[in-house]
Amino acid sequence: MADLKTTLCGMELESPFVLGSGPLGFDAESLIEATAWGAGAVVTKSIAAEPFVNTTQHMAMNGPLALINNELGSDLPLKQWTSTEIPKAKDGGVKVLIASVYGYESDDEAIYVAKECERAGADMIEIVSGYLEAGKLSGLIRSLKSSVSIPVIAKVNANWTNTDDVAYACSEAGADAITAIDSMGPAYRLNLATAQPVLGGSGYGWVSGSRILPFALRYVHDIALKSTVDIIGTGGITTPKDALEMLLAGASCCGVCSLPIIRGASVFKTLNEGLAKLLDQYGYGSVKHASRRSLQADTLPERSIADFRFNAETCTRCMKCVTVCPYKARTLAGDENTVDGDACRICGLCFDACPNGSISIM
């Protein structure tokens, strides 16, 4: 069985799955539960000097395994985190606790909160900030690194225009790891019965969960191309296959937030079991063996319409390859699967749509 152990900022994790900052990190008990189900590390809700007051109805479903939210940070006072929640979580079995520090107010406040969290027993700090300029966020990273002795993780946001540049600047400033990409937005959904927004406050929110996976993969890949620091790939992971793809793209660990909110913390057990099987299936002996493999791979070569294989024995005649062809080029009749060379544009959708690989590119 493949080895799921990995390291983050030099600390050993039993699993590559990290509970991302959000509702399930709202107190010690929730952090302990995620750990008990197999999370290798857990991140608190974002902690600030003053507790947040979130608007009524600040989360809503946004399709299968996806959410939209305009939640702010933790509604617990800083003193409760430092005197009760963080120590209780560590005493309750949380091996790697990452304190998410809200850095939108001021650098001085963020540094103060980070120092208090370190004193309470946090193993790492994850700084979440609204800075759009590489210089400003990297300056905050330098200040944090000189103020605390535990690792500092910079959380970068896909809503910025230069996310990978900011991430690189943070790594150059001394960030021990990068979390990418959080949620995406602003976005907007309406209640059909009332024509009102589904979210309170302004009605605008941020999308997380399955819908943002391709964006998260792209940013993780681009950041990995520029920097060698650890990356917590966060955004859209809902299956073990998603997790392996995130590792291959360049992640060291896989941040998961929306899935356990929707399905419960027990998903960490399912994710661990499924990822171990996939690592074995594809010949990766460990998480580290799979991480960053896309950086070593070539791009797809050009193919001709004749370069495909068809396995009639495994084909279930579901006709998906025929149905999804926008050019009506593919035909499946009995044991014959053929392509009209004049009509085919080699888009490749039929190969991806086949549920069991009965047709594949040579």
Side-chain angles (χ1 to χ4, degrees):
M1 184 69 73
D3 185 6
L4 290 183
K5 289 183 180 179
T6 189
T7 56
L8 176 64
C9 303
M11 294 191 68
E12 184 176 88
L13 307 187
E14 294 295 319
S15 157
F17 291 103
V18 177
L19 173 67
S21 180
L24 286 192
F26 79 97
D27 71 354
E29 292 296 338
S30 60
L31 298 172
I32 293 169
E33 182 183 17
T35 301
W37 279 111
V42 291
V43 188
T44 68
K45 286 189 75 169
S46 294
I47 305 169
E50 298 294 331
F52 290 94
V53 178
N54 287 296
T55 182
T56 300
Q57 198 157 342
H58 51 262
M59 283 199 298
M61 296 298 297
N62 187 40
L65 300 181
L67 299 170
I68 182 171
N69 81 91
N70 57 12
E71 185 180 41
L72 297 171
S74 173
D75 53 8
L76 300 183
L78 172 61
K79 187 175 181 180
Q80 183 173 340
W81 275 109
T82 56
S83 65
T84 303
E85 306 304 333
I86 292 175
K88 183 179 179 181
K90 292 296 295 180
D91 290 342
V94 174
K95 295 181 179 179
V96 180
L97 187 149
I98 304 169
S100 174
V101 172
Y102 191 83
Y104 282 79
E105 299 298 330
S106 72
D107 287 8
D108 289 342
E109 179 179 308
I111 292 167
Y112 169 70
V113 173
K115 291 169 71 174
E116 290 297 300
C117 290
E118 179 184 23
R119 274 195 282 267
D123 299 293
M124 304 180 194
I125 298 296
E126 181 181 85
I127 181 70
V128 53
S129 169
Y131 284 138
L132 304 182
E133 299 176 21
K136 288 187 175 181
L137 184 52
S138 60
L140 175 54
I141 295 297
R142 289 190 182 93
S143 297
L144 283 168
K145 287 293 293 180
S146 65
S147 301
V148 298
S149 60
I150 56 178
V152 174
I153 303 168
K155 191 171 192 178
V156 298
N157 195 310
N159 301 306
W160 304 337
T161 58
N162 57 339
T163 302
D164 48 344
D165 291 333
V166 175
Y168 177 71
C170 289
S171 66
E172 289 293 286
D176 299 279
I178 302 293
T179 296
I181 59 168
D182 206 352
S183 51
M184 298 185 69
Y188 191 66
R189 295 298 303 269
L190 290 167
N191 182 312
L192 297 182
T194 65
Q196 294 175 315
V198 299
L199 298 178
S202 68
Y204 296 117
W206 280 259
V207 176
S208 63
S210 59
R211 295 178 180 241
I212 69 170
L213 177 64
F215 302 99
L217 289 168
R218 173 248 154 152
Y219 279 107
V220 166
H221 173 75
D222 287 357
I223 293 168
L225 284 172
K226 292 185 176 183
S227 175
T228 59
V229 300
D230 290 338
I231 302 172
I232 306 176
T234 305
I237 295 175
T238 60
T239 69
K241 287 183 178 180
D242 297 339
L244 179 54
E245 196 171 357
M246 187 66 78
L247 292 171
L248 296 175
S252 313
C253 299
C254 299
V256 186
C257 185
S258 295
L259 179 66
I261 293 173
I262 297 168
R263 293 278 176 85
S266 62
V267 298
F268 286 105
K269 181 176 185 292
T270 304
L271 290 170
N272 279 322
E273 292 173 349
L275 179 60
K277 290 178 181 177
L278 285 175
L279 290 171
D280 283 339
Q281 178 181 337
Y282 290 104
Y284 300 116
S286 66
V287 169
K288 291 185 177 181
H289 189 202
S291 179
R292 294 178 175 257
R293 287 301 290 264
S294 71
L295 308 188
Q296 306 166 28
D298 296 326
T299 56
L300 289 176
E302 294 297 325
R303 306 284 187 176
S304 79
I305 58 172
D307 290 336
F308 80 93
R309 295 187 183 93
F310 173 62
N311 188 333
E313 293 182 1
T314 60
C315 177
T316 63
R317 294 0 182 229
C318 68
M319 302 300 289
K320 287 184 179 179
C321 61
V322 176
T323 302
V324 301
C325 179
Y327 308 111
K328 311 301 180 188
R330 187 171 287 281
T331 302
L332 175 60
D335 290 342
E336 294 294 326
N337 193 315
T338 58
V339 172
D340 182 339
D342 293 329
C344 179
R345 267 72 164 184
I346 323 174
C347 73
L349 184 58
C350 57
F351 299 109
D352 200 52
C354 180
N356 55 16
S358 295
I359 56 170
S360 60
I361 298 176
M362 294 177 64

